[in-house]
Amino acid sequence: MRELQTRSEVSAIPALVAIVGLGLFAFAVMALHFLRPDYNPATRFVSEYALGNHGWFMKLAFFALAFGSTALVVALRRSTARPAASTAGFVCLGLWALCVFVAGIVDTDLLGAPDTVQGAIHGLASLVAFVSLILSSFLLLKLKQDERWAASHRFWAVMSFVMLGTFLAFVGSMIALPNIAGLVQRIFLAVVLTWLFARAKHAHSIARS
């Protein structure tokens, strides 16, 4: 009995690490809105907080998100029966985590500044990260084959489409409505964090059950 309890506690650790990492990212981004009042949230992208004063805080946020997302991959694998496992979904989620890490290392270009190679790398990493995460959200709908995930399948399906919709809105705003592109990005990121948090929380609940 004690062995089973210990195994359950160990399985819950990655999910808990994911929740903490995601929470640190959310806290850091919210704090930076107060620490950098010179940046207009409606027009500035979150990545720009890595430039200038308190830039280290945004970099730390990126690394926390990458580490938390990696822990989430482990947590999801441990909380899923093998027949329901979506290898492609886990790979895409891992690629999201890797690209977030790269985005934390390589800075974006400041709005209005000349384009640079590092800015292009950051932009590419961000694009691959977002597309990978959206693909992962749809691929992981396969987890409905596991009864422990099946009950909330409709929620995950709706979240996947909301994530895709807000991403397309973000891309569209960068092209047609740059004056609110930063705001739309934040809405998209809020949806992303909601999905990640919900997955981590559910995986933690499964591990502790």
Side-chain angles (χ1 to χ4, degrees):
M1 182 66 179
R2 176 57 184 171
E3 181 181 352
L4 290 175
Q5 183 179 0
T6 301
R7 187 176 302 172
S8 176
E9 291 172 352
V10 170
S11 297
I13 291 176
L16 186 59
V17 171
I19 291 171
V20 171
L22 297 171
L24 286 174
F25 175 81
F27 171 78
V29 171
M30 288 189 291
L32 282 164
H33 283 77
F34 296 97
L35 294 172
R36 295 301 307 270
D38 53 313
Y39 279 3
N40 182 358
T43 57
R44 297 283 189 171
F45 298 130
V46 169
S47 297
E48 293 184 75
Y49 286 124
L51 304 171
N53 295 334
H54 309 293
W56 64 271
F57 202 21
M58 187 65 236
K59 290 180 180 292
L60 179 63
F62 275 126
F63 297 144
L65 179 59
F67 189 68
S69 297
T70 302
L72 179 58
V73 176
V74 178
L76 290 177
R77 286 185 63 86
R78 290 186 178 183
S79 63
T80 306
R82 183 172 294 275
S86 172
T87 301
F90 295 142
V91 170
C92 285
L93 187 57
L95 182 57
W96 145 266
L98 176 61
C99 289
V100 169
F101 183 79
V102 172
I105 296 176
V106 184
D107 291 338
T108 187
D109 292 326
L110 196 63
L111 183 67
D115 295 337
T116 64
V117 173
Q118 72 171 23
I121 294 174
H122 180 96
L124 179 60
S126 298
L127 177 61
V128 174
F130 293 146
V131 172
S132 296
L133 183 62
I134 293 170
L135 284 175
S136 177
S137 73
F138 280 100
L139 290 168
L140 290 177
L141 292 177
K142 186 179 178 181
L143 298 186
K144 70 177 181 179
Q145 297 176 23
D146 187 325
E147 61 181 8
R148 296 171 299 178
W149 289 93
S152 52
H153 174 71
R154 181 173 297 180
F155 169 78
W156 303 119
V158 170
M159 284 299 300
S160 294
F161 282 104
V162 171
M163 194 187 303
L164 175 60
T166 51
F167 173 69
L168 293 176
F170 169 47
V171 173
S173 69
M174 287 192 294
I175 299 172
L177 298 168
N179 288 338
I180 61 168
L183 177 60
V184 179
Q185 184 202 38
R186 284 161 174 78
I187 294 173
F188 168 60
L189 289 177
V191 174
V192 166
L193 286 176
T194 299
W195 185 87
L196 292 169
F197 267 120
R199 282 293 189 186
K201 186 176 182 298
H202 196 80
H204 185 265
S205 298
I206 290 175
R208 296 303 299 271
S209 61

